[in-house]
């Protein structure tokens, strides 16, 4: 079960992560040039819409197609994603993630049927036109049928995420996040789910809190500080180095063993994550684009003008609460050291919420 | 089936695997390269996403949380799992076994 969720999530994030550079370019252009940005510029801000509606979904559809069927798969994925994007009003990331690979799969089947029987000298003609014709057919279907359906799904998800924020339930969303993260579903959640939700919201309002719920390094920082203060042995010694990689390098994976090895420390993550989410909610905080990796250095340029108190305040609160709770937990329930170091204490089975 | 062990002198390529193949695997790879260089080992060390581990990897190194998936993909490799991203005993043992010519065992 865990492996299959990881696999789907891995495929989704695998389509997004190689394209993060383009997301950052879009985020910076947005943060700078939109009317509420740092250097408003009407001409330059014309790039914002086409990039988010067309460029980014098409890159994802291309990458998804390429994962299934090489460059030819990428090409047909890009064509079909364009058709979906044209037919809808919001950025079609989910559509790209599903139908980029799906259309590449169709091209793979057609190639497998046609390529062995191509007469000598006609290979190129058949290759090019089979892909072109298939892409045309799929694009028509995508534009007329799939695009409206995906827009409907996106509307529903958007309403749901808005409802969660409006109802003040953001802190509760943190509970499953912290558990899923340490099971290595961090990329799947952030890029597969929250990324598309965030982009849809940011395209309308200029910022989104969904970019921060998983990627904020605050709670993890606090939990590691707790180990530094109240931990023992190698846990204590390795904490400062881990803090640097986690908080500045943005590689959150390095803190997972500190939870997996002593699962009760998830309490520190929950306490920090929920207080942080509550602060984000109260201050209406958000980032203009996805911060990846989840480093403080990736956050700074993506904070909207006037949003520093919300973003950095939430991160600081998350870190402090998680450090305090983590220290109390470590004092009450110290890590049991074994001769073999940590190896004996770490299993995936004793993480709360995972059977 | 995943290989259960491989003699040290047959290890030509080690691949570090993580979820995205861009974050922690790259970091651990650089640690491993440094340690291998120090030990005077001439082995190709690379990193990759867990679902795209190259077929010619003799040894795959992945965090315990991902090693089940690494085993599904890297059917011809010995998979070594570790728990800590820094100073993990399993990483040090791997380098030790390689330089002493021991059998590298799946773990």
């Amino acid at each position: 079960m865990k492996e299959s969720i990881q696999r789907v999530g891995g495929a989704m994030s695998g389509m997004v992560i190689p394209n993060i550079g383009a997301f950052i370019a879009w985020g910076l252009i947005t943060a700078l040039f939109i009317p509420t940005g740092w250097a408003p510029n009407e001409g330059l801000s014309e790039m914002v819409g086409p990039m988010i509606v067309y460029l980014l979904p098409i890159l994802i559809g291309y990458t998804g197609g390429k994962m299934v069927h090489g460059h030819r798969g990428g090409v047909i994925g890009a064509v079909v994603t364009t058709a979906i994007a044209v037919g809808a009003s919001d950025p079609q990331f989910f559509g790209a993630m599903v139908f980029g690979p799906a259309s590449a799969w169709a091209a793979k089947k057609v190639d497998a049927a046609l390529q062995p029987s191509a007469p000598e000298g006609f290979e190129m003609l058949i290759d090019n036109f089979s892909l072109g014709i298939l892409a045309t057919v799929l694009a028509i279907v995508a534009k007329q049928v799939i695009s409206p359906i995906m827009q409907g799904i996106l509307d529903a998800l958007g309403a749901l995420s808005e409802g969660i924020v409006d109802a003040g339930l953001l802190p509760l969303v943190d509970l499953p996040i912290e558990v899923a993260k340490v099971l290595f579903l961090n990329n799947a959640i952030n890029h597969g789910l929250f990324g598309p939700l965030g982009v849809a919201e940011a395209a309308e309002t200029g910022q989104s809190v969904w970019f921060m719920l998983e990627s904020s390094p605050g709670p993890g920082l606090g939990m590691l500080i707790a180990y530094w203060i109240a931990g023992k042995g190698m846990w204590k010694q390795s904490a400062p180095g881990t803090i640097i990689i986690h908080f500045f390098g943005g590689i959150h994976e390095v803190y997972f063993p500190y939870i997996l090895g002593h699962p009760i420390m998830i309490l520190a993550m929950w306490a920090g994550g929920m207080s942080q989410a509550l602060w984000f909610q109260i201050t209406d905080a958000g980032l203009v684009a996805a911060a990846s990796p989840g480093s403080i250095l990736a956050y700074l340029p993506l904070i909207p003008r006037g949003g520093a108190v919300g973003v950095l305040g939430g991160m600081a609160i998350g870190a402090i609460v998680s450090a305090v709770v983590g220290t109390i937990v470590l004092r009450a329930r110290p890590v049991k050291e074994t001769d073999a170091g940590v190896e004996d204490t770490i299993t995936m089975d004793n993480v709360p919420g995972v059977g | 089936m995943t290989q259960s062990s491989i003699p040290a002198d047959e290890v030509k390529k080690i691949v570090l695997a993580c979820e995205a193949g861009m974050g922690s695997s790259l970091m651990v790879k650089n640690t491993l390269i440094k340690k291998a260089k120090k030990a005077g080992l001439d082995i190709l060390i690379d990193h990759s996403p867990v679902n795209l581990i190259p077929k010619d990897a003799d040894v795959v190194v992945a965090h315990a949380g991902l090693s089940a998936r690494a085993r599904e993909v890297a059917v011809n490799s010995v998979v070594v799992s570790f728990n800590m991203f820094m100073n993990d005993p399993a990483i040090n043992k791997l380098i030790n076994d390689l330089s002493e010519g021991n059998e590298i065992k799946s773990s």
Side-chain angles (χ1 to χ4, degrees), chain A residues 261-308:
Chain A
H262 196 43
I264 196 171
M265 285 298 279
I266 194 86
L267 293 176
M269 297 304 296
W270 277 337
M274 290 177 81
S275 344
Q276 171 184 267
L278 188 63
W279 179 262
F280 286 160
Q281 185 164 294
I282 292 167
T283 57
D284 200 14
L287 284 188
V288 295
S292 177
S295 148
I296 180 69
L297 302 176
Y299 262 66
L300 292 177
L302 298 175
I303 297 173
R305 206 165 81 185

Side-chain angles (χ1 to χ4, degrees), chain A residues 6-7 10 17 242 253 257, chain B residues 19 22 68-69 72 83 85-86:
Chain A
Q6 271 186 353
R7 203 172 300 118
I17 293 179
T242 306
E253 279 88 343
Chain B
E19 175 65 60
M22 290 173 80
R69 281 174 66 214
E72 285 172 17
N83 288 312
F85 285 88
M86 295 191 311

Side-chain angles (χ1 to χ4, degrees), chain B residues 32-103:
Chain B
L32 201 61
I33 287 177
K34 264 181 222 150
K35 291 190 180 196
K37 203 172 171 187
K38 221 172 168 183
L41 295 167
D42 180 30
I43 298 171
L44 185 65
I45 303 176
D46 207 354
H47 65 287
S48 104
V50 69
N51 57 341
L52 297 171
I53 296 171
K55 289 195 173 55
D56 61 346
D58 301 305
V59 175
V60 172
V61 181
H63 187 274
L66 288 173
S67 56
R69 281 174 66 214
R71 287 194 164 86
E72 285 172 17
V73 178
V75 287
N76 298 316
S77 320
V78 171
V79 176
V80 174
S81 59
F82 65 91
N83 288 312
M84 300 295 285
F85 285 88
M86 295 191 311
N87 299 321
D88 192 277
I91 302 277
N92 293 333
K93 183 175 184 305
L94 175 63
I95 292 290
N96 223 7
D97 286 346
L98 284 169
S99 49
E100 286 175 7
N102 299 337
E103 194 89 349

